[in-house]
Amino acid sequence: MPSEDMKTAVAPSGLLPALGEVSLAEPPTCTLRVGVTGQRPPKLTDDQIPEIRNAVREVLTFIRGATEDLVKSNLGYARREPRFLIVSSLAEGTDRLVAAEALTLGFRLQCPLPANRDEYRRDFTAPSSAQAFDELLGKAKAVFEFMGQREGTWLEPAAYEAAGRVMLARTDVLITVWDGERGEPAGTAQIVGEAQQAGIPIVRIPRQNPAQIEFLSQAAGAISDWRNELRGALITALAAPDSSRDRVPEFLREAFRRTAGRDPVVEQRDQADQIAKRYAALYRRAYKTVYSLAPMAVLLAIAGWWLLGNRSDTDLELLSTCLELLCIIVILGVTWYGRKRRWHERWLDARAMAEQFRSWAFLAPIAQAPPTSRLPPYVSTKATQRDWTGWCFRARVREHGLSPAVVTPESLAVYQRQLLQVIAGQAQHHQDKGGERKRTYERMELTTAVLFAVTGVACFVHLALPELLRLESVAFLTTLAAVTAVLPAVGSALEGLQGQGEYQRLSERSEGMCRYFTSLQKQVRGPELQPLSYAALAQLAHQVAGVMLDELSDWRSLVRVRSLHPM
């Protein structure tokens, strides 16, 4: 089960709200990110530029209008105008052309660069090209600079590939000026192919016939009716589930208050974690109350019968009956109120949000897109439709945008140490929680076994000893009968508590997670810590985040059916 009390040490993301001040107490602002890739000079000639520019403007204008129309009918977003980002590496040709047009339409520019800006500028040999690069870069709201190396005159393809993949990770729609021909590694063809595999909607503007705009579909190929296809893709990417209209404002009202100078990703993680703890405590107290009062009601019922059978004080018999009724009323009342206030559902939702932000907190510093927690496919469609947490998290990721940073060997070394702290923290957390749950489960199992064993002895005494010893005491026999009725009720309540808390299953899962993270930590450290490349660190971070969110999804599918009920 995900953490209820762990504060994992993570790398500070340095994430600045490039879109302006973000209110965490309000629903997310609808933000659409448009990526760009395409051909460069000399393939892209000066005489083709005017027609291509017109086509780019047509596509961007349509994207803006369709998104604005969509937001009007989706009440999950904040009641403000949507924001639009253009994500471009500012290479010569298509990258700059699309970025410049987007800026005139009110888009905000974010730039993943294949190398630090001074090194990257050396790729642009013409003074006018270098000047155009500087002018566009000066308008960027966030810049992420890789440390690409040169292979002779030009930057290595791997640097362009890394920047292209960061662009794709932050893209909802990709615009490409491309004729469909294969090219060099890390070129337009490769980036478009990876976008198709990732399911990113692609609008293609042919270089030699810009008016023939197409929508590229991995299943259906090129589709000329690009407007309808793109509108459907925008709805799929941005539309808020119906449950978000009520659930998101309700969730955000719980605790979100901005603290000056705090990383908004870490702040949202911590505050969602606090909400999850609160509702987890309420839910657990509620079901423990129910399972504790149930055998108490049985005991009081037996007490009333015992008092009546032994001709004891009728006032005591009436009192026991009233107390039994009170237990039943409390059981029903706690169950009704907990279900009405949705303690169980709020706990699961807040935990899902906290764990998604937890993975984002260590992926954001290296400009990697976080995965989203989704319920497994075998979970009912109705439950999936009510799950607003994934949509809200994705909207927050889009809203915050790219993390501004400069990648250096020193910064990678710091990040590697901090990522190892995340892995060690996860291993320690699951070791502690797994051991705690195992001990709880074993104590419950032992207590239940003792109770049923004592019940067996009482049954034997009740059946055999009166005949052997010629006992005819009514009080003695009714007491034995009471013991044989009450003790199994207590044992059954303990088994119910164990089932509701899923102590055995969760302890086994925690033990498995602990073994996994401990093994991963040993693999990364080795005999001595070796510095990892950016690509290796990104792969490791995604591996850790993927395992954490897989475990979260599995936990949600297991615990979601454990809502409050009167036994």
Side-chain angles (χ1 to χ4, degrees), residues 53-66:
R53 180 179 287 111
N54 290 337
V56 167
R57 177 171 284 271
E58 181 181 356
V59 172
L60 290 174
T61 301
F62 176 82
I63 288 174
R64 186 176 183 106

Side-chain angles (χ1 to χ4, degrees), residues 145-204:
E145 304 172 52
F146 283 94
M147 55 176 188
Q149 304 298 313
R150 291 200 170 270
E151 289 184 350
T153 305
W154 309 105
L155 286 173
E156 58 185 353
Y160 284 100
E161 184 179 69
R165 286 175 174 166
V166 167
M167 179 272 294
L168 288 181
R170 275 156 180 75
T171 292
D172 302 305
V173 176
L174 180 67
I175 295 178
T176 180
V177 178
W178 177 52
D179 284 336
E181 60 198 31
R182 297 291 117 183
E184 66 279 359
T188 301
Q190 178 183 332
I191 297 300
V192 170
E194 292 186 9
Q196 286 183 307
Q197 291 177 357
I200 297 172
I202 304 169
V203 179
R204 182 168 75 94

Side-chain angles (χ1 to χ4, degrees), residues 76-91:
Y77 290 105
R79 296 291 89 197
R80 62 171 69 97
E81 291 297 315
R83 289 174 169 142
F84 299 90
L85 300 179
I86 188 73
V87 187
S88 170
S89 295
L90 299 184

Side-chain angles (χ1 to χ4, degrees), residues 48 51-53 55 204-213:
Q48 296 170 334
E51 283 190 75
I52 293 174
R53 180 179 287 111
R204 182 168 75 94
I205 300 172
R207 173 175 57 89
Q208 296 183 352
N209 192 1
Q212 299 298 316
I213 303 171

